[in-house]
């Protein structure tokens, strides 16, 4: 407006309102479902199928969720290294293919507290939300890690107690002679209709040939060649035997009719590797458990010959190697 030779600017109060589109497209979030069972038994595979069906329907009903993939491991949860599908899940999360991870409960995700929390922190750094359905835990909540830590600690303690019970059962079965390990078959034997060991004649002949050749001075290489020349297949059905198989066969007391249990032990935490029992735990010898293929004198002679040929010697408690190894002349 123009007034008295001057422009006068009138500022009316501004009224602002939000203008929304006629519809809002919600963000679709990719969901990865992790399932794990410890063994491939019929019962656990049925449980696995139930989990797949349940989560498929759950994601279908949930608005804004889209099923990206299932990650299914049939393995122990003691360590992440033995779970290839879990590793694939982590890779997809890192590459922003998965926004949400959902699993049945904390024990499915892993039974080792430390490794589980490391994995959860890693997923959190990828901005991935993890949901444990049974416990009602969502890692997007700040208090979840403490809850998970408590639950995991309890689960790990229960698992360790279960492992201790299993070891106790194995020890008891070994002590009273009822352990199924006494009837575990090896090359030269098979289980009959009662589950007991009986001799396989053609394999037993190969066992006797190996012991006889070894005591006559043949090296493992020469025995390996002789077996192949005679067309005797290896325990795995291959044309050629490996030297390790021959060496282990020569050390197996089972061919005398006896069975030694607890040759190896696992005394560490869950998931630790078994190691040779060198006195860490008691061993149990079952005598005359099944028909012998060779006599005990032959077996003991072979053990003495193995020591004689070994390039490892012990001098004043120190393990050393011989300058010259055994070399067969036959």
């Amino acid at each position: 407006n123009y007034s008295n030779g001057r422009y006068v600017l009138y500022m009316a109060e501004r009224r602002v309102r939000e203008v929304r589109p006629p519809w809002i497209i919600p963000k679709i979030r990719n969901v990865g479902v992790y399932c794990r069972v410890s063994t491939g038994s019929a019962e656990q595979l049925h449980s696995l199928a139930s989990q797949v069906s349940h989560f498929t329907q759950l994601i279908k009903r949930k608005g804004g969720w889209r099923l990206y993939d299932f990650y299914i491991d049939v393995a122990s949860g003691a360590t992440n290294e033995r779970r290839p599908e879990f590793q694939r899940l982590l890779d997809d999360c890192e590459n922003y293919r998965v926004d949400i991870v959902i699993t049945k409960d904390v024990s499915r995700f892993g039974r080792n507290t430390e490794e589980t929390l490391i994995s959860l922190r890693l997923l959190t750094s990828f901005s991935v939300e993890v949901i444990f359905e049974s416990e009602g835990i969502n890692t997007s909540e700040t208090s979840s890690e403490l809850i998970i830590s408590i639950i995991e600690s309890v689960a790990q303690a229960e698992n360790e107690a279960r492992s201790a019970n299993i070891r106790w059962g194995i020890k008891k079965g070994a002590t009273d002679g009822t352990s199924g390990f006494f009837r575990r078959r090896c090359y030269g034997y098979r289980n009959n209709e009662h589950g007991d060991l009986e001799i396989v004649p053609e394999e037993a002949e190969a066992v006797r040939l190996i012991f006889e050749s070894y005591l006559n001075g043949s090296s493992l290489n020469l025995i390996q060649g002789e077996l192949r020349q005679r067309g005797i297949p290896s325990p795995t059905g291959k044309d050629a035997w490996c030297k390790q198989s021959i060496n282990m066969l020569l050390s197996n007391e089972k061919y005398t009719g006896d069975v030694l249990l607890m040759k190896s032990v696992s005394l560490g935490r869950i998931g630790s590797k078994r190691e040779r029992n060198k006195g860490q735990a008691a061993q149990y010898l079952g005598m005359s458990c099944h028909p012998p293929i060779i006599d005990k004198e032959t077996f003991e002679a072979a053990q003495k010959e193995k020591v004689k040929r070994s390039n490892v010697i012990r001098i004043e408690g120190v393990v050393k190697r011989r300058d010259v190894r055994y070399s067969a002349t036959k």
Side-chain angles (χ1 to χ4, degrees), residues 127-281:
S127 299
V128 173
E129 180 181 334
V130 183
I131 299 172
F132 299 101
E133 188 187 38
S134 297
E135 292 87 358
I137 296 175
N138 189 321
T139 57
S140 63
E141 301 172 6
T142 56
S143 61
S144 289
E145 186 167 300
L146 175 60
I147 298 172
I148 292 170
S149 179
I150 294 172
I151 294 174
E152 276 288 311
S153 296
V154 173
Q156 184 173 343
E158 291 177 348
N159 199 44
E160 289 174 350
R162 191 182 304 113
S163 180
N165 288 336
I166 292 173
R167 287 196 296 268
W168 179 85
I170 293 173
K171 181 179 178 180
K172 185 177 183 300
T175 304
D176 58 24
T178 60
S179 174
F181 291 109
F182 285 114
R183 296 184 291 179
R184 177 181 284 182
R185 69 180 184 86
C186 65
Y187 182 80
Y189 291 98
R190 63 188 168 212
N191 295 107
N192 61 21
E193 64 273 16
H194 304 294
D196 297 321
L197 291 179
E198 65 179 16
I199 293 175
V200 180
E202 58 274 18
E203 293 182 1
E205 285 302 315
V207 172
R208 295 187 188 100
L209 172 64
I210 290 172
F211 274 92
E212 181 181 353
S213 298
Y214 188 75
L215 290 176
N216 284 335
S218 295
S219 66
L220 299 183
N221 283 331
L222 289 175
I223 296 173
Q224 187 181 35
E226 185 176 2
L227 291 169
R228 184 163 190 169
Q229 185 179 5
R230 294 192 180 209
I232 300 174
S234 72
T236 56
K238 296 181 180 179
D239 293 335
W241 286 62
C242 66
K243 289 193 293 183
Q244 181 65 14
S245 295
I246 299 172
N247 189 48
M248 291 178 64
L249 186 149
L250 288 166
S251 300
N252 195 343
E253 79 294 331
K254 190 167 284 188
Y255 295 116
T256 68
D258 296 344
V259 180
L260 181 64
L261 299 187
M262 301 295 286
K263 292 180 181 178
S264 63
V265 292
S266 177
L267 302 176
R269 66 175 180 84
I270 297 173
S272 60
K273 294 182 179 179
R274 296 186 67 83
E275 58 187 56
R276 187 178 177 185
N277 188 354
K278 298 180 180 179
Q280 305 95 309

Side-chain angles (χ1 to χ4, degrees), residues 31 244 316 322 324:
V31 181
Q244 181 65 14
E316 296 180 355
R322 299 180 192 270
V324 180

